Amino acid sequence: MKYKKTEKGIIITLARGENLIETLTAFCVKENITSAVFQGIGAVERVKIGYYDLGKREYFFRDEAGVFEVASMQGNVALVDGKPFIHAHAVLSRCDATCECIGAHIKEAFVAVKLEIYLTPLGVSISRKLDDDIGLKLLDV
Amino acid sequence: MKYKKTEKGIIITLARGENLIETLTAFCVKENITSAVFQGIGAVERVKIGYYDLGKREYFFRDEAGVFEVASMQGNVALVDGKPFIHAHAVLSRCDATCECIGAHIKEAFVAVKLEIYLTPLGVSISRKLDDDIGLKLLDV
Amino acid sequence: MKYKKTEKGIIITLARGENLIETLTAFCVKENITSAVFQGIGAVERVKIGYYDLGKREYFFRDEAGVFEVASMQGNVALVDGKPFIHAHAVLSRCDATCECIGAHIKEAFVAVKLEIYLTPLGVSISRKLDDDIGLKLLDV
């Protein structure tokens, strides 16, 4: 994991094998980033991807072992219990002749080849709070 | 609909049941936003999604009643007849074990669970003007 | 190709038939942009889209002749051999009733209808350097 800060935002590159969510979280802790948005492209493998089942009030995740291109990734950073929490969604395309896509919430992913992230710290403090009706910790702005 | 302004951009959260396009439009009117770009993640339902058929010079839209994760959303705001107009594209992933994606132009969508949007006002005035060859109102920059 | 600069970033519109990668590259050369990130929506045709096969250490590309909506596009600009190089990923949705998506690395694409890009110059100089293990020129930050 390397990065370069600019006046606008931070370019972060993750190397093969790095844990996306853990590495970004550690970076935000180290840099004291209490709110941010980000986007990214590259490739990942060993992915837990899924969606929130509002009826069951729980996430469903599927495991994908193989390599996918990150055709699109968007997310944000906010505080949960005072610690930076990464909320990431992505569209992943299968690395075969179909280039077909799956997408949704990324619980876990490891970098394959490389991941190039652009993160914009927002300079304010935003927290997530549990919404009892939904069953999720939602952005409290 | 709630929001928090920062030096970089505005974090907007939409609650379950809110109309995406109408709510964003009303916000831009209220805040006098005459140009912006945005991105967003979350979940939506009751979606009209489709594409512009250049040959027929008209949009084709399909209706999706169920819930989809917003795996990716990107768009911009510009003036049409002096009023803020939202142009939004998204990749939606089906909330079932396939996580398969559909995508394109979003004409209408209602928030399911939550939608987290990051909107960057550009501080200039940009309008859309009808292009007779294309049959659409295009950004006039 | 037209553009409007703002304090935050640059709105760029590409017209029907323009070559996405060539046009963006020429713009970055002209404007002396040595690092940037971008996003975009619109429609493209005559696309070369594919993925990097890490085992074979080469890209696989497929050709798509028809028109696709650009449901999502993200990318960055950095220097390769001192010249701006565009790295673009996209999710493209088929312009038929399925709205199904393919996605990945965009080697080439021509604008259909229109493409609306938001590019943020980062004001620093970032280069790509060959990584012998991976076989690709990666961002050197």
Side-chain angles (χ1 to χ4, degrees):
Chain A
M1 190 266 199
K2 293 182 175 178
Y3 61 92
K4 190 180 189 83
K5 294 182 182 180
T6 78
E7 283 188 7
K8 297 286 182 64
I10 305 169
I11 293 284
I12 299 169
T13 62
L14 300 185
R16 199 178 178 197
E18 288 193 286
N19 182 317
L20 166 63
I21 302 295
E22 281 188 10
T23 308
L24 270 188
T25 302
F27 177 73
C28 290
V29 169
K30 184 174 77 76
E31 297 288 329
N32 196 26
I33 292 171
T34 53
S35 67
V37 293
F38 63 89
Q39 63 180 66
I41 57 176
V44 292
E45 61 191 341
R46 291 179 284 151
V47 177
K48 286 187 193 302
I49 186 171
Y51 63 91
Y52 187 68
D53 186 323
L54 188 56
K56 295 182 178 176
R57 293 170 63 96
E58 65 184 23
Y59 273 100
F60 164 87
F61 288 109
R62 62 188 274 188
D63 292 293
E64 290 281 351
V67 176
F68 287 78
E69 293 274 320
V70 178
S72 169
M73 186 171 64
Q74 293 182 358
N76 57 52
V77 182
L79 300 175
V80 172
D81 302 327
K83 186 188 162 192
F85 174 87
I86 310 295
H87 184 203
H89 279 207
V91 184
L92 307 178
S93 65
R94 209 169 284 278
C95 288
D96 63 25
T98 67
C99 293
E100 70 175 12
C101 293
I102 59 173
H105 183 97
I106 302 295
K107 183 181 182 186
E108 188 172 88
F110 292 85
V111 177
V113 188
K114 201 75 174 186
L115 201 55
E116 302 168 353
I117 293 171
Y118 176 64
L119 183 140
T120 308
L122 298 178
V124 297
S125 186
I126 298 177
S127 296
R128 289 184 175 275
K129 286 191 181 163
L130 182 65
D131 179 304
D132 286 329
D133 289 340
I134 303 287
L136 285 176
K137 288 178 175 163
L138 303 178
L139 285 179
D140 181 40
V141 295
Chain B
M1 191 266 199
K2 293 181 174 178
Y3 61 92
K4 189 178 189 84
K5 294 182 180 179
T6 79
E7 282 188 5
K8 297 287 180 64
I10 306 169
I11 294 284
I12 300 169
T13 62
L14 300 185
R16 197 176 180 197
E18 288 193 284
N19 182 316
L20 166 63
I21 303 295
E22 282 188 9
T23 307
L24 271 187
T25 302
F27 176 74
C28 291
V29 168
K30 183 174 77 79
E31 296 287 329
N32 196 26
I33 292 172
T34 54
S35 68
V37 292
F38 62 89
Q39 62 181 66
I41 57 177
V44 292
E45 62 191 341
R46 291 179 284 150
V47 177
K48 286 188 193 297
I49 185 170
Y51 63 91
Y52 187 68
D53 186 324
L54 188 55
K56 294 182 178 175
R57 293 169 64 95
E58 65 184 22
Y59 274 101
F60 164 85
F61 288 109
R62 62 187 273 189
D63 292 293
E64 289 282 351
V67 176
F68 286 78
E69 292 274 319
V70 178
S72 169
M73 186 171 67
Q74 293 183 358
N76 57 53
V77 181
L79 300 175
V80 172
D81 302 328
K83 185 186 162 193
F85 174 86
I86 310 295
H87 184 202
H89 279 207
V91 184
L92 307 179
S93 65
R94 208 170 285 278
C95 288
D96 63 25
T98 67
C99 293
E100 69 175 14
C101 294
I102 59 173
H105 183 95
I106 302 295
K107 184 180 182 186
E108 188 172 87
F110 291 85
V111 177
V113 189
K114 201 74 172 185
L115 202 54
E116 302 169 353
I117 295 171
Y118 177 65
L119 184 140
T120 308
L122 299 177
V124 298
S125 185
I126 298 177
S127 295
R128 290 184 174 275
K129 285 191 181 163
L130 183 65
D131 179 302
D132 286 329
D133 288 341
I134 303 285
L136 285 176
K137 287 177 176 166
L138 303 178
L139 284 179
D140 181 40
V141 295
Chain C
M1 191 265 199
K2 293 181 175 179
Y3 62 92
K4 187 178 192 85
K5 293 182 181 179
T6 78
E7 282 187 7
K8 297 286 182 65
I10 305 169
I11 293 283
I12 300 169
T13 62
L14 300 185
R16 199 178 178 194
E18 288 193 283
N19 182 317
L20 166 63
I21 303 294
E22 282 188 9
T23 307
L24 270 188
T25 302
F27 176 74
C28 291
V29 169
K30 184 174 76 76
E31 297 287 329
N32 196 28
I33 292 171
T34 54
S35 67
V37 292
F38 63 89
Q39 63 181 65
I41 57 176
V44 292
E45 61 191 341
R46 291 179 284 150
V47 177
K48 287 188 193 299
I49 185 170
Y51 63 91
Y52 187 68
D53 187 324
L54 187 56
K56 295 183 178 173
R57 293 170 63 94
E58 65 183 23
Y59 274 100
F60 164 86
F61 288 108
R62 61 187 275 189
D63 292 292
E64 290 281 352
V67 176
F68 287 78
E69 292 274 319
V70 178
S72 169
M73 187 170 66
Q74 294 182 358
N76 57 53
V77 181
L79 300 175
V80 172
D81 302 328
K83 185 187 163 193
F85 174 87
I86 310 295
H87 183 202
H89 279 207
V91 184
L92 307 179
S93 64
R94 208 170 284 280
C95 288
D96 63 24
T98 68
C99 293
E100 68 175 13
C101 294
I102 60 173
H105 183 96
I106 302 295
K107 184 181 182 184
E108 188 172 88
F110 291 85
V111 178
V113 188
K114 200 73 172 188
L115 201 55
E116 302 169 354
I117 294 171
Y118 176 64
L119 184 141
T120 308
L122 298 177
V124 297
S125 185
I126 298 177
S127 295
R128 289 183 176 275
K129 285 189 182 165
L130 183 65
D131 179 302
D132 286 329
D133 289 340
I134 303 287
L136 285 176
K137 288 178 176 164
L138 303 179
L139 284 180
D140 181 39
V141 296

